[in-house]
Each structure stands twice: as structure tokens, then as C-alpha cells.
Amino acid sequence: VKQQLKEAAEKEATQKEAHQRELDAIKQEAQADKEKAAQQMADRNQKQLFWELQQACFGSWQDEVERAKSEKAKGAAKKELEDLKQQSLQSKQATAQRLAERNKKQYDDDLCRDTLVSWSKAIAG
């Protein structure tokens, strides 16, 4: 009977050890799965963060490009306006110069005519 009890106890101990090994293997597998899932989530979060950062930087860069284009266009428009103002001023100056020359010629012609008329009257008179 003792022998049977001893054998039963050994068999039970062997089964407990086998179950414990099985349980440990399942725990290790679950831990490995848990770590793998955590790593996948971390990778996904890192990719998402990288994507968001890239989008933010690209958006920022795109805004800077648009601002630079706008500034360039404003600068070009300002230069064009200055050029037009300068051309207008030059045109006005040239017109004023022509008018002044024409008025001086007219004055000289009028003075000459008046002088000739007065001399003619003086000679005739």
C-alpha cells in the first residue's frame, strides 16, 4: 500500500511538474505575445508621430513657400508700381519740357512779331 501511495504521489508530483512546465510555457508565450503587441503599438505610434511631424513640417514649409511667393509677388508689384511712377514722372517732365519750349518759341515768335509790327508802324508813321 505504501508503495502504491508512493507511486501515486510520485505520479501526482510528475503531473504537477508537467502542468507547471506547461503553465510556465503558456505564461512565457503570453508574455512574448504581450511584448510583441507592445512593440507593434510603439512602432505604430512612432510611425504616426513621424507622419504627424512630417505633415506639420511640410505644412510649415509649404506655408513658408507660399509666404515667400507672396512676398516676391508683392515686391514685384511694388517695383512695377515704382517703375510706372517713374515713367509717369519722366513723361510729365518731358511734356512740361516740350510745353516750356513751345511756350518760349511762341513767346519769341510773338515778341518778334510785335517788334516787327511796332517798327513797321514807327517807319510808316
Side-chain angles (χ1 to χ4, degrees):
V1 174
K2 281 185 180 181
Q3 185 63 26
Q4 287 177 344
L5 288 175
K6 186 178 177 184
E7 287 175 6
E10 287 176 2
K11 186 177 178 183
E12 189 178 326
T14 304
Q15 285 177 346
K16 279 186 180 180
E17 286 176 10
H19 285 298
Q20 188 61 45
R21 282 193 300 270
E22 238 180 85
L23 186 58
D24 289 345
I26 291 171
K27 284 181 181 178
Q28 285 178 348
E29 191 177 316
Q31 183 64 30
D33 287 347
K34 187 176 172 183
E35 289 173 4
K36 183 179 176 185
Q39 184 62 45
Q40 287 174 340
M41 183 179 276
D43 290 347
R44 200 170 33 249
N45 288 344
Q46 186 177 13
K47 286 177 185 174
Q48 180 66 29
L49 189 61
F50 176 75
W51 174 252
E52 289 172 5
L53 180 63
Q54 187 179 23
Q55 287 297 95
C57 289
F58 180 73
S60 199
W61 175 79
Q62 212 171 19
D63 291 346
E64 187 62 25
V65 167
E66 291 302 319
R67 187 192 63 72
K69 284 180 181 177
S70 175
E71 289 297 320
K72 186 176 179 182
K74 284 180 188 175
K78 189 174 181 181
K79 183 177 180 347
E80 187 175 351
L81 181 61
E82 289 300 319
D83 289 348
L84 288 173
K85 284 180 182 178
Q86 186 64 30
Q87 289 173 358
S88 176
L89 178 62
Q90 290 172 349
S91 176
K92 286 178 184 176
Q93 288 173 339
T95 300
Q97 181 68 31
R98 284 194 303 275
L99 284 173
E101 289 171 0
R102 190 177 76 199
N103 287 343
K104 183 180 182 320
K105 186 177 181 322
Q106 185 67 44
Y107 175 78
D108 289 347
D109 289 348
D110 289 347
L111 182 62
C112 217
R113 188 187 67 235
D114 289 348
T115 303
L116 286 175
V117 168
S118 66
W119 284 356
S120 295
K121 286 181 183 176
I123 292 175

